[in-house]
C-alpha cells in the first residue's frame, strides 16, 4: 500500500510537454519504489497531447502526485514553478521521458541515515532507447563522501565526467539560490553554483538515473539552430567566468572549461550536418581548438603559427589579424563571438 512506504522529505519536479508516450513509464519508476518522495510535482507546460490526462490519472491514484498547468513557457519556467511549489527539504529534477533506478530513493535514504547534513547527492547515469533494453545495475552501491562540493567537483572532472545536467543530483532546496533561465543548457550555471557552494556531499558511481535517447531529441534529429549555438556560447561564457573566480585548482578549471568548449564545437558540427560548412568556419574551429581546447599557452609560437597557417591556407588578412588578436589575449568571448557571427 502507498501509505505503508517510507517517505523521504523530497520533492520531485518534472517539467512536462507533449510526453504522453513516456510520462507513465517515468512516473511508474518513481511510485513503484519501496521508498517514496514526499511529493511528485508535474508541471504541464501547455502540452497539446494526452500528457495532462496521464498525469491526472496518477494524481487520482497517488496522493503524492501533483498536477500544475502553465501556458507554454519552456522547461526553465516549469522548473522554477516546481521549486516555488516544492515543500520538501530536498529537490530532484527529473525529465519526463527518463527512468529512475528502482533503488534510488532507498540509496538516498541510506545516505541520509549516515548524515542528515548532506547538501548534495550526485549519481551517474546510463543512456537507453527502449525500456525493455534496461538492465538495472545493482552490483556497486558503494558511496563516496566528500566534505565539500569542490572536492566532489574535482573528482568528477578528474574522471572525465561532465556534471552539467541538473537531473544527475538531489539538491538541498535551500542551496538553490539561482533560478533557471533560457530554453537550452539552462541548468549548467545552477548546478555549477550549487555544486561548488556545497558542504557535505555524497557520490555514487553506479548509474541511478536512466536517460532516454529519443529519436526526435535535439542531437538525434539534428535540429540545432544558430540561436541555439549562440545561447550555448553565452552559457559557456557565464560558466567560465564563474569557475575562474573559484578556488579550484587551475588544472581542474581548465579541464571543466575545455569540456564546455568541446561540446560547443560538437554543437556547431551538428548545426552544419546537413549544410555546406563554409571553409572559413573550419579554419576558425581549428584555431579555436588550438587555443582553447588544446590550450597551447605560448603566445609567440601561436602568433607564428597563425601567420604560417594563414599564408598556407590563403586566409584573408583580416581573419589572420583576428587569429593573432585571439592568440594574444586568449579571450574566449572574442573568438566565440567571431564564430557565431560566421554561422549561416
Amino acid at each position: 500500500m502507498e501509505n505503508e512506504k517510507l517517505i523521504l522529505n523530497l520533492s520531485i519536479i518534472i517539467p512536462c510537454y507533449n510526453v504522453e508516450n513516456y510520462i507513465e513509464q517515468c512516473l511508474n519508476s518513481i511510485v513503484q519504489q519501496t521508498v517514496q518522495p514526499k511529493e511528485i510535482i508535474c508541471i504541464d507546460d501547455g502540452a497539446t497531447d494526452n500528457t495532462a490526462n496521464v498525469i491526472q490519472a496518477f494524481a487520482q491514484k497517488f496522493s503524492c502526485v501533483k498536477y500544475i498547468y502553465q501556458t507554454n513557457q519552456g522547461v526553465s519556467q516549469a522548473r522554477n514553478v516546481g521549486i516555488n511549489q516544492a515543500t520538501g527539504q530536498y529537490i530532484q529534477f527529473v525529465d519526463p521521458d527518463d527512468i529512475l533506478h528502482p533503488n534510488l530513493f532507498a540509496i538516498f535514504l541510506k545516505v541520509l541515515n549516515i548524515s542528515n547534513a548532506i547538501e548534495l547527492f550526485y549519481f551517474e547515469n546510463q543512456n537507453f532507447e527502449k525500456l525493455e533494453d534496461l538492465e538495472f545495475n545493482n552490483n556497486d552501491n558503494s558511496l563516496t563522501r566528500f566534505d565539500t562540493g569542490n572536492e566532489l567537483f574535482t573528482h568528477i572532472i578528474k574522471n572525465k565526467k561532465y556534471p552539467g545536467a541538473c537531473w544527475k543530483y538531489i539538491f538541498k532546496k535551500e542551496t538553490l539560490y539561482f533560478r533557471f533561465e533560457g530554453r537550452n543548457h539552462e541548468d549548467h550555471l545552477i548546478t555549477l553554483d550549487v555544486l561548488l557552494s556545497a558542504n557535505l556531499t555524497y557520490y555514487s558511481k553506479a548509474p541511478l538515473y536512466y536517460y532516454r535517447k529519443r529519436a526526435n531529441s535535439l542531437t538525434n534529429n539534428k535540429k540545432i539552430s544558430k540561436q541555439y549555438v549562440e545561447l550555448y556560447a553565452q552559457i559557456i561564457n557565464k560558466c567560465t567566468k564563474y569557475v575562474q573566480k573559484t578556488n579550484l585548482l587551475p588544472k581542474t578549471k581548465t579541464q571543466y572549461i575545455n569540456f564546455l568548449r568541446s561540446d560547443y564545437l560538437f554543437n556547431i558540427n551538428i548545426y552544419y550536418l546537413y549544410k555546406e560548412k563554409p571553409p572559413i568556419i573550419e579554419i576558425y574551429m581549428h584555431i579555436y581548438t588550438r587555443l582553447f581546447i588544446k590550450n597551447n599557452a605560448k603566445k609567440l609560437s601561436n602568433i607564428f603559427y597563425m601567420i604560417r597557417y594563414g599564408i598556407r591556407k590563403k586566409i584573408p588578412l583580416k581573419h589572420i589579424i583576428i587569429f593573432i588578436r585571439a592568440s594574444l589575449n586568449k579571450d574566449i568571448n572574442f573568438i566565440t563571438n567571431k564564430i557565431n557571427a560566421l554561422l549561416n
Side-chain angles (χ1 to χ4, degrees), residues 187-240:
D187 43 1
H188 286 305
L189 188 58
I190 288 181
T191 54
L192 184 64
D193 175 68
V194 175
L195 184 51
L196 295 183
S197 302
N199 293 307
L200 180 63
T201 65
Y202 273 83
Y203 165 73
S204 169
K205 72 175 183 179
L208 300 179
Y209 188 100
Y210 294 84
Y211 176 82
R212 189 190 302 266
K213 296 179 67 176
R214 288 165 56 182
N216 61 343
S217 69
L218 182 64
T219 53
N220 287 332
N221 213 24
K222 317 307 180 197
K223 291 182 179 178
I224 289 183
S225 65
K226 177 183 177 182
Q227 183 186 33
Y228 178 93
V229 177
E230 290 175 340
L231 288 173
Y232 191 30
Q234 294 174 20
I235 293 294
I236 290 176
N237 294 340
K238 289 179 181 179
C239 290
T240 298

Side-chain angles (χ1 to χ4, degrees), residues 37-166:
K38 180 180 181 181
E39 57 190 359
I40 306 167
I41 304 173
C42 300
I43 300 92
D44 176 359
D45 187 33
T48 58
D49 63 357
N50 198 43
T51 295
N53 291 333
V54 176
I55 298 171
Q56 288 168 354
F58 270 85
Q60 290 179 357
K61 187 176 180 181
F62 299 95
S63 60
C64 61
V65 177
K66 299 180 180 179
Y67 172 82
I68 298 175
Y69 176 84
Q70 69 172 26
T71 57
N72 182 250
Q73 299 175 59
V75 63
S76 289
Q77 183 57 27
R79 285 176 176 155
N80 291 337
V81 169
I83 294 173
N84 293 336
Q85 293 293 321
T87 61
Q89 183 181 16
Y90 292 91
I91 285 180
Q92 181 182 4
F93 300 101
V94 176
D95 283 354
D97 47 356
D98 296 340
I99 301 293
L100 302 188
H101 189 288
N103 295 328
L104 170 56
F105 299 143
I107 293 171
F108 182 54
L109 178 61
K110 177 182 175 182
V111 172
L112 288 174
N113 287 335
I114 296 172
S115 175
N116 60 9
I118 180 175
E119 294 187 359
L120 189 74
F121 181 40
Y122 176 89
F123 36 82
E124 296 298 346
N125 66 283
Q126 181 175 313
N127 295 341
F128 76 101
E129 293 185 3
K130 297 179 180 179
L131 189 61
E132 54 267 28
D133 296 334
L134 272 179
E135 293 183 5
F136 296 112
N137 179 11
N138 293 299
N139 296 329
D140 189 356
N141 289 327
S142 61
L143 299 167
T144 305
R145 172 186 170 130
F146 294 92
D147 291 329
T148 68
N150 276 18
E151 294 175 15
L152 171 59
F153 184 84
T154 300
H155 175 80
I156 295 168
I157 296 299
K158 182 179 178 180
N159 288 277
K160 303 189 185 307
K161 302 292 185 179
Y162 178 53
C166 65

